[in-house]
């Protein structure tokens, strides 16, 4: 069974803290994605990666960075957390880049106070 | 990117068949139709994908008429655990644009 896991389901951080969100997939997928989901705004793509050590900006990369040192792991980093980064963060992976068949993790609900 | 229109919400009783229709009048030749399900506080889950006619899997059926300007997701005999938001997405399966999730249809199943 396809599986994408995320390091935390719920996280509370203070403004200015550096935050790491980790995602691991066990499907040997080349492509991995980070989205955030906010009420009324749908899912928005933050960053994606199509290979180890490769990364590309999505629609809203400001305030975020990513790291992909191993094929199965894709990390999202909030360099200095701000309250407007309070959101649900979703990781996904896929066999083909931009396929409409992506597999999502359970999400991390991050609250920045 | 084809724009989709689906009902904001639907209610159903347990055991009934539920049909959720999605309109996509400007669907392109290479576009596929994909449906996702999302439970509260969880990530979306891929349910089914099709190009034309009918596709069925263990979860749902997808009906696509010949003109492909709409599609219907059919959930047989829903249960309370089918309460979720259902998203219809239309686009090339290996194109160069990321997924775009609209507002979806909030299905509430009532006992």
């Amino acid at each position: 069974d396809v599986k994408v896991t995320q390091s935390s389901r719920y996280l509370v951080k203070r403004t200015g803290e550096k935050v790491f969100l980790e995602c691991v997939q066990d499907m040997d997928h080349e492509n991995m994605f980070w989205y955030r989901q906010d009420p009324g705004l749908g899912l928005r793509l933050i960053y994606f990666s199509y290979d180890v050590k490769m990364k590309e900006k999505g629609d809203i990369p400001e305030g975020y960075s990513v790291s992909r040192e191993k094929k199965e792991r894709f990390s999202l980093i909030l360099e200095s957390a701000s309250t407007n980064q309070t959101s649900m963060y979703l990781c996904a992976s896929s066999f083909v880049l931009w396929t409409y068949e992506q597999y999502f993790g359970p999400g991390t609900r991050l609250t920045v106070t | 990117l084809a724009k989709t229109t689906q009902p904001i919400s639907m209610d159903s009783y347990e055991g009934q068949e539920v049909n959720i229709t999605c309109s996509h009048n400007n669907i392109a030749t290479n576009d596929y139709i994909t449906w996702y399900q999302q439970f509260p506080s969880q990530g979306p889950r891929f349910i089914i994908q099709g190009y034309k006619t009918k596709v069925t899997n263990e979860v749902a059926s997808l009906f696509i008429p010949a003109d492909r300007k709409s599609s219907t997701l059919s959930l047989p005999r829903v249960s309370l655990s089918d309460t979720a938001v259902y998203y219809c997405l239309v686009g090339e399966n290996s194109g160069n644009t990321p997924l775009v999730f609209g507002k979806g249809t909030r299905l509430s199943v009532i006992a």
Side-chain angles (χ1 to χ4, degrees):
Chain A
D1 198 18
V2 162
K3 196 149 186 185
V4 178
T5 56
Q6 295 183 226
S7 50
S8 306
R9 291 301 308 275
Y10 300 93
L11 210 51
V12 179
K13 295 291 182 181
R14 293 188 183 277
T15 302
E17 279 193 85
K18 191 168 185 175
V19 181
F20 293 87
L21 303 181
E22 297 243 305
C23 174
V24 178
Q25 51 97 1
D26 66 358
M27 296 160 285
D28 202 34
H29 285 167
E30 300 287 342
N31 310 289
M32 297 186 75
F33 309 82
W34 276 106
Y35 297 87
R36 62 178 282 179
Q37 185 174 31
D38 301 287
L41 296 176
L43 265 72
R44 292 180 291 169
L45 181 65
I46 305 171
Y47 266 96
F48 65 96
S49 168
Y50 53 88
D51 200 353
V52 175
K53 297 193 185 294
M54 305 305 289
K55 57 189 178 187
E56 295 285 345
K57 294 178 180 179
D59 298 322
I60 51 163
E62 296 78 21
Y64 304 94
S65 62
V66 290
S67 172
R68 186 140 181 231
E69 297 296 319
K70 293 185 178 181
K71 189 176 185 180
E72 68 271 17
R73 190 178 297 268
F74 192 33
S75 301
L76 180 69
I77 303 149
L78 284 67
E79 298 291 343
S80 177
S82 63
T83 54
N84 63 13
Q85 292 179 309
T86 291
S87 185
M88 169 71 99
Y89 289 89
L90 292 159
C91 174
S93 73
S94 69
F95 180 64
V96 175
L97 187 63
W98 303 138
T99 178
Y100 272 61
E101 187 173 346
Q102 290 190 6
Y103 294 89
F104 285 80
T108 296
R109 186 163 295 282
L110 172 68
T111 302
V112 182
T113 61
Chain B
L1 196 64
K3 179 180 165 67
T4 60
T5 303
Q6 24 177 155
I8 298 288
S9 64
M10 293 179 70
D11 293 333
S12 175
Y13 287 101
E14 274 192 296
Q16 289 187 330
E17 178 184 75
V18 170
N19 295 310
I20 306 174
T21 297
C22 179
S23 297
H24 28 80
N25 289 318
N26 59 341
I27 189 169
T29 303
N30 294 333
D31 287 345
Y32 281 71
I33 300 149
T34 308
W35 285 82
Y36 280 81
Q37 173 191 57
Q38 187 174 24
F39 297 114
S41 298
Q42 292 193 29
R45 180 175 79 118
F46 172 88
I47 302 177
I48 197 165
Q49 184 180 81
Y51 183 81
K52 61 180 179 180
T53 62
K54 177 183 173 183
V55 180
T56 297
N57 63 22
E58 64 278 3
V59 176
S61 294
L62 178 59
F63 298 92
I64 306 166
D67 67 5
R68 304 201 327 124
K69 292 185 184 299
S70 66
S71 58
T72 300
L73 175 74
S74 181
L75 304 171
R77 295 180 299 281
V78 294
S79 64
L80 296 175
S81 62
D82 292 315
T83 293
V85 178
Y86 292 83
Y87 296 95
C88 167
L89 285 73
V90 174
E92 287 192 43
N93 208 20
S94 56
N96 58 1
T97 54
L99 270 63
V100 175
F101 283 74
K103 295 191 190 311
T105 297
R106 185 172 299 277
L107 172 66
S108 298
V109 180
I110 308 160

